[in-house]
Amino acid sequence: MKRFLSGNEALAEGVRLARPQVISAYPITPQTTVVERLAEMVEEGSLEAEYLHVESEHTALAAAIGAAATGARTFTATSSQGLLYMAECLTYASGGRFPIVMANANRALALPWNIYGDQRDSLSLLDHGWIQVYAQDNQEALDLALMAYAVAEDERVALPVMVCVDGFALTHTYESVDAPEQDAADAFLPPYRTDNRFNFEEPVSIGYSAGPEHNRFYAYHHHQDMRAAEAVVPEVEARFAACMGRRYPGMVEKYRTEDAEVVMVALGSAAGLVRTVVDALRERGVAAGMLRIRYLRPFPAARIASALAGARAVGVLEKDISFGATGTVYANVMQALASAGVAVPTLDFVGGLGGDDLSRAQVEGAFDDLLRLAEEPVAFAADPVVFLGISGAEGGAA
Amino acid sequence: MEVIWHARGGQGAFTAARALGAAAALSGGLHALAFPTFGPERRGAPMRAYTKIAASPIGDRSALRQADVVAYLDETLFDDGWEAELKPGGIVLLNAPHPAADPRIVCVDADAISAEVLGRPIPNTVLLGAIAALSDVVTLEDVHEGIKATMSVRLQEANLRIADAAFKAVGGGGSARASQELDARVAAGARPVTVHDASEAARQNVTRTPYLRETFALPEDFARSTCFTGGHLVSENAGWRSVRPVLDETVCTLCLQCYLLCPDGTIFKVRDEEGNVERVAVDFAFCKGCGVCAKACPAGCIRMVPERKEARA
Ligand code: SF4
Ligand code: SF4
């Protein structure tokens, strides 16, 4: 059914359709309306779940871990400082191999205090063993809530998934969304069954320790199974398409990259704007393209490298900076290019920090830089990082 | 069609933005985005919302700088900047009781129209109805659907009536475009709209905090620190203020409770030549109108006075 929903409402709708048995939550802007909606659903009876209103984010995830450890399908949500506060528990969830789905409303990190959107929160926790996927619009936020469970609970994967939605740009923006019927959702996502659970008849320990002689195996399998998700994602999306009629493009989305001379890599909702600019450039005869990274973990390095291999200049547009280095997405993309032996000049466009508007003029300026970079790579040799709104008048590195 | 909504928190601008988006997306068969920019998160603070409507999916989620319709739910927010936000051929929709001289400005007495139905002025739906009358993009029927999709059942009936009344008031449904009627009114000698600059008004009779803000902070000054001598303020926040403290010096005992308790440190001591405190004063460039000082004053000598009334007087 077609509805006009905010990203958070869409996400909550997707979660409802997935029938989680336990929801534990603590409110934080811009995530709050997700768990508020879910609380209303539980109250009005449209969702049958145990709703735990806990006293902190740390407890929200700890409770989710406890619930998942009894074999329950579990949901939680957070943002920014809340995500950092639960960081300790992130590795308990992933190391424990509990297929929790958590929504993270991407928001800046303090200090300075700021409630608005950027992606520093989830990107700073890329290494905590969770699958990370980024939605570009409200429809995808809803659909990912459902697909995330299918990926997480696949026994080849058995890992938690963080569904990242851009704060405000998605969470508080309304647009029309197609909400699937419960029957279709049920056909797509069967109930969660697992052996990795606390068994009341034959109790087991779940807070295990693994000394030097065993530790590497946990790490190795965690790594391998995370990798396996790269094969599971397309399978899940094919099943989703069969049930819902909506097809998703897998780990990455290539948009007019085939013959592109300049390609912008984007993450999350910024892709909408990049796509618009790419279309405008194409109309002017400029061979521009976009590569949208959907899953950042597991990292689809080979797919990224092959999509970028033909370009003469590549940019990464991200709402993130790893201080003193580059943006985290850029660092990852560079690793993909280097591993595949792709030599192409690159720039890292850092913008939209702390809710700063990512404007069309900035993205156009960034493409101008890429076109110039393709012609004379040396001009940009000093530093690949371009702070949009600071380095140049409208986004240029000049 | 693109719409910028100007309002104060609590006036329902975002609800209107959403209802318009829903009207276009759910009933009009178009694509739409509706989103707010949250300024300071409190009632009375100026905020904006945006509605973008197009025939194809909208990728650009950035804020609008110009629009076809720029709607002001609160007349005190209308200032010299209005023209810059207008696309060629665009119109301003202003909640004001009197007509405007400039044909690009359509005045609707949204407070009165909504008060007639609701008993109190809530202007948002009035402007929705007006947009249906003035634009070819959404019809009144679409707006009805938008209201139903975004407002609780309890509020729908009254708001549908308000939209209808507004549609009529702006001349919707007739054969002549509303703007023509407007031209006629202008020709008949309508009074021009008074343009308020709220921040300028607020600065009158202001003694600046002498030791704090001779100049205002620039990014270079504050970007490396979040500690400020004057609380957490790095930019003027007088725009948040919908009520201002007015201090009766004849009653003030100089107990300094207000000085201590003002959360933003915007009350300061004024000293005489010997250095004795002779009175306290408010820095209206930073006072956000929270009213803490008025509550705290044991002598009851601080009154909170609506900015709006004063601006209109
Ligand atoms: S109204 Fe609030 S901000 Fe203004 S002077 Fe009083 S206490 Fe300070
Ligand atoms: S609290 Fe009242 S009496 Fe005391 S200094 Fe302030 S205005 Fe004067």
Side-chain angles (χ1 to χ4, degrees), chain A residues 2 4 111-112 115-116 136-137 168-170 172-175 269 272-273 276 357-358, chain B residues 14 18 21-22 25-26 32-36 38-39 41 59-63 65 226:
Chain A
K2 208 174 163 200
F4 200 63
L111 282 173
I115 61 161
Y116 303 102
Q136 76 166 341
D137 55 26
F168 296 99
L170 294 183
H172 287 60
T173 295
Y174 284 73
E175 61 185 322
S269 67
L273 176 54
T276 306
D357 218 26
L358 212 49
Chain B
F14 184 40
R18 274 168 56 199
L26 301 183
L33 291 182
F35 55 100
F38 292 104
E41 296 164 282
D60 184 351
R61 286 168 193 271
S62 61
R65 285 169 178 77
T226 47

Side-chain angles (χ1 to χ4, degrees), chain A residues 13 50 175 201 244 253 301 309 361:
Chain A
E13 187 58 26
E50 197 71 44
E175 61 185 322
E201 282 70 49
M244 314 289 181
E253 180 198 353

Side-chain angles (χ1 to χ4, degrees), chain B residues 201-241:
Chain B
R203 274 190 217 118
Q204 282 160 18
N205 307 319
V206 168
T207 326
R208 267 270 151 73
T209 310
Y211 44 87
L212 273 183
R213 290 171 271 252
E214 285 301 318
T215 56
F216 294 100
L218 296 169
E220 293 75 47
D221 305 326
F222 62 73
R224 292 183 185 82
S225 164
T226 47
C227 305
F228 301 95
T229 41
H232 63 273
L233 304 176
V234 293
S235 58
E236 281 186 76
N237 64 346
W240 305 17
R241 189 175 58 229

Side-chain angles (χ1 to χ4, degrees), chain B residues 247 252-258 280 297-299 301-302:
Chain B
L247 200 150
C252 173
T253 61
L254 283 184
C255 72
L256 296 183
Q257 283 299 308
C258 60
V280 291
C297 174
C301 67
I302 301 180

